[in-house]
Amino acid sequence: MERDNTSRLRQDSTHDRRHFLRTVGVVGLGLAATGTAGASEHEEVTEIDSCTVIDEPGEYELVADIEPEEVVDTDDPTQAGPEDVSCIEIRASDVTLHGNGHTIDGHAAQEGDSREGHAIGINSFLHHSGDNLEAVENVVVEDVHVTGFGTGVRFEAVNGGRIAGIVARDNADGIGFHYWANGIDVENNRLIENGAGFNTYGDPDVYGGPAGNVIEHNDIESNATGVRLGHETHDHTFRYNRIVGNGNGVDHSALFTSGNDYHHNAICGNERYGIHNPDVFFSDVVGETDDDFRIEDVVNATENYWGAANGPSSYGDPEEPFTDPETGRLADGDGDAISESLDPGVANVRFDPILEEFPEDAGADL
């Protein structure tokens, strides 16, 4: 297998991300905001009862449900202030937002079935506006219901933090990590009936992609896609989750995702794939080229329950089931399906050994 070019591109994207974080700052904002919340050192907790911008460290809490009157298309927010893109926009390090079980509901601001804006966003406006931004650190969002948005909770340019106790329903994405979002714990959340329960996206031409996040003890259920890992997503750990009853349980991008592991999850009852991990040739992406190579990755998904005691099936029920790429075990079970690599008959998902029973400690406790 030829991996040299793939490795070089990944190294270049990592260098670009690090170079970005060393050199940029928040400059030339010039943004108007209808509300800001700042916690001084004399205030223990700042109360929030409407859409706002958090631009100082501290503890904040929702004291009421919020139903914004307007959101904008997040692909073109040129005439909007940040509060119109994210109802609650966080731009400071060392922030904890306690939702106290309140709901941020964007349905009234949408047109028909569209889903725009974010209920809670970290640095989400600056990238769209064209301004440079500086990564923030240690952001915690907990105990809030989010519904009717493009993204329920979106982290961008964040290093370290936690998302817990979120109930995200009927959003385009329940929880989304865009570009550089590293070292985040995503735990004890219910992501149900969204376009994607958990979604990531990166781009080496911007500042790389999400890496090193841990997603555990979540219910990821009844979404069009349970987990979608996009371009340049690396080294995520998924453990003790219920990834159940989605269209696709897990769907990886073909473009440079690597090192993402799944262990002790229940991945079952999904309509098409349990795990879909497409491998492609570079020419499949850019067209005819003299410098063609394979873009591929093997997902480590051992010790999961696939919906049957005899393990996963091979997608499409081929006459010859796919084999585990390391042990050679056949994916000939009655559980959720896994995908095939560029080598015919060989899976690109390591599934052996399996769990024969539903793991009792999988899922959220909400």
Side-chain angles (χ1 to χ4, degrees), residues 81-157:
E83 74 286 350
D84 296 320
V85 176
S86 297
C87 177
I88 297 179
E89 174 80 9
I90 299 174
R91 294 195 191 167
S93 296
D94 301 315
V95 167
T96 297
L97 175 63
H98 306 282
N100 293 331
H102 287 293
T103 297
I104 305 176
D105 188 340
H107 285 99
Q110 309 290 348
E111 294 185 6
D113 294 331
S114 67
R115 294 291 179 268
E116 306 292 352
H118 321 303
I120 300 169
I122 290 79
N123 280 331
S124 59
F125 180 71
L126 298 182
H127 168 69
H128 285 298
S129 70
D131 290 309
N132 291 327
L133 59 91
E134 182 177 274
V136 298
E137 299 181 346
N138 189 30
V139 176
V140 175
V141 177
E142 60 183 20
D143 192 23
V144 60
H145 293 222
V146 289
T147 184
F149 287 91
T151 311
V153 179
R154 169 171 162 152
F155 273 37
E156 179 173 341

Side-chain angles (χ1 to χ4, degrees), residues 2 5-6 9 256 280-283 291-295:
E2 295 183 35
N5 288 314
T6 304
L9 287 175
F256 309 121
V280 298
F281 287 94
F282 187 55
S283 57
D291 186 25
D292 204 7
F293 57 93
R294 296 157 69 119
I295 304 175

Side-chain angles (χ1 to χ4, degrees), residues 171-190:
N171 306 281
D173 296 333
I175 292 175
F177 287 176
H178 280 226
Y179 307 110
W180 202 80
N182 290 4
I184 314 299
D185 291 329
V186 181
E187 57 187 13
N188 199 34
N189 303 286
R190 299 199 68 209

Side-chain angles (χ1 to χ4, degrees), residues 255-277:
L255 294 178
F256 309 121
T257 62
S258 67
N260 301 294
D261 297 341
Y262 299 80
H263 304 294
H264 298 281
N265 303 284
I267 305 174
C268 54
N270 298 291
E271 183 179 349
R272 293 180 293 277
Y273 286 91
I275 296 182
H276 179 220
N277 178 39

